Amino acid sequence: MSVNFLDLAVSGVQGLHPYQPGKPIDELARELGLNEADIVKLASNENPLGPSPAIEAAIKEQLAELTRYPDGAGFELKAELCKRLGVEMNQITLGNGSSDILDFIVRVFIEKGDNVVVAAHSFSIYGLVTRAAGGDVIEVPAVNWGHDLAAMAAAINDKTRIVFVTNPNNPTGTYNTRDEFEAFLQAVPENVVVLLDEAYFEFVNKPDYPNGMDYLSQYPNLVVSRTFSKAYGLASLRVGFSVSSPQLADLMNRIRPPFNVDSFALAAARAALMDDAYLAKSLEVNSQGMAQLTAAFEELKLSYIPSVGNFVCFKLPEGYKDAEVNQQLLAQGVIIRPVANYQMPGYIRVSIGTQAENQTFIEALKKVLA
Ligand SMILES: Cc1ncc(COP(=O)(O)O)c(C=O)c1O
């Protein structure tokens, strides 16, 4: 009789479903016999600009070192981060994408019987890595689609080890203000870690939006994670990082695989940090694209959740099913993200693309809703 390895898997893994990423462009091209160039992907909150020449040069330079292991300590990238963020080397943990950081913090603190607190409609990886580690997830209902930070602090119990705060949140695009975040930090017991996920930090342009780095010296239980996948345009290379107290960084670095960020990613991330023009262009294209999309939603009388990120969720009119709309958009070569799996049935998340990509999406949507 053949072995059923499902029965042998650790209990937390047995009930998991794999993370559902946005559909890759080449997959849709294969399925529908379309040209890849004719497909518009606005499904994974990626940067629509394409790589800057500075990144290509940094990567080419690394080719000569292909046979060598990367610098496991990531010295040069960390040095540049320290300079820009005003932090010390021993506060930084590098990740193969910031997803790696989320996994590290959970593996450091969670075992069977422990729990984490998350907000409803927040990034699904928090729950996935926690359950894999045998932990439980306490999900706190949202208010106006955003984190209810006071309720999240109140949900902490004696088995809570981590609270995940996503600011701004994906997929809703909502954010918490400085006042809300400060009151929250004060309410969280000092032995509970706050993982502040700032994957979309760079896009936010609000005077009352808090910068997680400002709270590190006062709160040794705070971990701020950021990524190069979004505003810096390096999603494919997989590089992110966290800044925390040296003690939390030391614990995460104990379980970090020694070469989790490769030489190309290290060099490209450093070049991206120094490429102020590319970042400025990303933010400009994003704010123009956000205005373009929300104007179209208003014209089409579609309600949407105001977003400070590089994506926005809109609601389909009564009678339209998200799975069907998704198929009809795919058939026109437009990839977006239905978010029913985030308990948002009837909502679709669309990432901000270039002006032309946004227009293609708007035209395709108009046809579906006609
Ligand atoms: C809120 C949030 N956190 C973290 C990530 C992980 O990104 P990466 O692993 O590419 O850094 C994402 C990716 O979409 C995200 O939306």
Side-chain angles (χ1 to χ4, degrees):
M1 210 174 69
S2 63
V3 178
N4 184 352
F5 286 100
L6 180 65
D7 296 337
L8 299 177
V10 293
S11 59
V13 171
Q14 287 180 356
L16 290 182
H17 299 287
Y19 176 76
Q20 289 176 353
K23 200 177 188 62
I25 290 177
D26 53 354
E27 189 180 304
L28 184 65
R30 269 196 311 275
E31 284 174 8
L32 297 185
L34 296 172
N35 266 334
E36 288 190 18
D38 294 334
I39 293 176
V40 166
K41 183 182 176 208
L42 301 174
S44 301
N45 303 343
E46 295 153 333
N47 195 311
L49 290 184
S52 93
I55 303 300
E56 288 178 31
I59 286 180
K60 277 206 188 108
E61 208 174 292
Q62 289 304 313
L63 276 173
E65 302 297 319
L66 197 61
T67 55
R68 307 274 173 209
Y69 283 102
D71 172 11
F75 179 86
E76 292 197 350
L77 173 57
K78 281 190 188 170
E80 192 61 32
L81 285 168
C82 288
K83 210 161 82 187
R84 291 183 176 252
L85 299 173
V87 300
E88 301 293 328
M89 289 283 219
N90 63 2
Q91 294 182 264
I92 298 178
T93 307
L94 295 179
N96 190 273
S98 60
S99 314
D100 228 10
I101 301 292
L102 308 175
D103 187 47
F104 296 160
I105 197 71
V106 163
R107 286 201 283 131
V108 167
F109 286 106
I110 300 294
E111 58 186 359
K112 206 169 172 52
D114 298 331
N115 69 59
V116 307
V117 172
V118 304
H121 324 293
S122 69
F123 192 46
S124 61
I125 294 287
Y126 313 136
L128 194 145
V129 291
T130 298
R131 292 193 177 97
D136 300 314
V137 178
I138 299 177
E139 189 180 276
V140 176
V143 173
N144 295 328
W145 299 110
H147 288 24
D148 182 345
L149 288 184
M152 289 173 75
I156 292 170
N157 63 32
D158 60 353
K159 289 292 187 187
T160 304
R161 300 284 171 268
I162 307 169
V163 186
F164 286 96
V165 175
T166 328
N167 205 24
N169 186 44
N170 173 29
T172 59
T174 50
Y175 76 102
N176 288 100
T177 64
R178 192 175 295 120
D179 287 352
E180 289 166 349
F181 187 63
E182 287 176 6
F184 168 79
L185 283 176
Q186 278 167 23
V188 173
E190 60 188 7
N191 62 349
V192 172
V193 170
V194 173
L195 188 300
L196 175 65
D197 182 339
E198 291 187 337
Y200 303 94
F201 171 84
E202 296 80 8
F203 294 106
V204 187
N205 183 16
K206 296 279 179 188
D208 58 353
Y209 173 66
N211 178 343
M213 301 296 163
D214 293 345
Y215 302 93
L216 287 164
S217 56
Q218 204 185 334
Y219 293 96
N221 59 333
L222 176 63
V223 180
V224 182
S225 65
R226 291 196 187 163
T227 183
F228 287 94
S229 301
K230 311 293 177 183
Y232 292 101
L234 300 182
S236 165
L237 284 174
R238 314 303 304 126
V239 52
F241 65 95
S242 66
V243 187
S244 64
S245 57
Q247 197 183 25
L248 288 182
D250 170 53
L251 287 167
M252 287 194 282
N253 276 294
R254 289 181 193 195
I255 57 166
R256 183 179 65 83
F259 305 112
N260 65 329
V261 185
D262 71 49
S263 316
F264 300 98
L266 288 171
R270 183 165 175 273
L273 271 181
M274 297 193 291
D275 192 349
D276 295 328
Y278 182 88
L279 181 63
K281 181 86 186 145
S282 296
L283 305 189
E284 185 192 327
V285 166
N286 192 63
S287 67
Q288 287 167 354
M290 184 67 85
Q292 184 186 2
L293 288 180
T294 52
F297 296 149
E298 274 157 31
E299 184 196 326
L300 292 166
K301 306 219 170 352
L302 297 173
S303 74
Y304 61 91
I305 306 173
S307 167
V308 296
N310 64 342
F311 52 88
V312 55
C313 286
F314 66 95
K315 193 169 190 295
L316 293 170
E318 284 302 315
Y320 286 88
K321 294 222 159 48
D322 33 21
E324 285 168 15
V325 171
N326 185 32
Q327 283 309 321
Q328 289 163 0
L329 289 170
L330 287 175
Q332 299 181 70
V334 175
I335 314 176
I336 45 72
R337 188 83 76 102
V339 282
N341 59 331
Y342 283 91
Q343 300 157 55
M344 301 173 72
Y347 277 86
I348 302 254
R349 189 193 70 190
V350 56
S351 307
I352 311 299
T354 60
Q355 206 262 346
E357 288 173 331
N358 299 334
Q359 202 51 42
T360 302
F361 158 73
I362 292 166
E363 299 305 327
L365 182 66
K366 281 183 179 164
K367 277 193 198 147
V368 172
L369 299 180

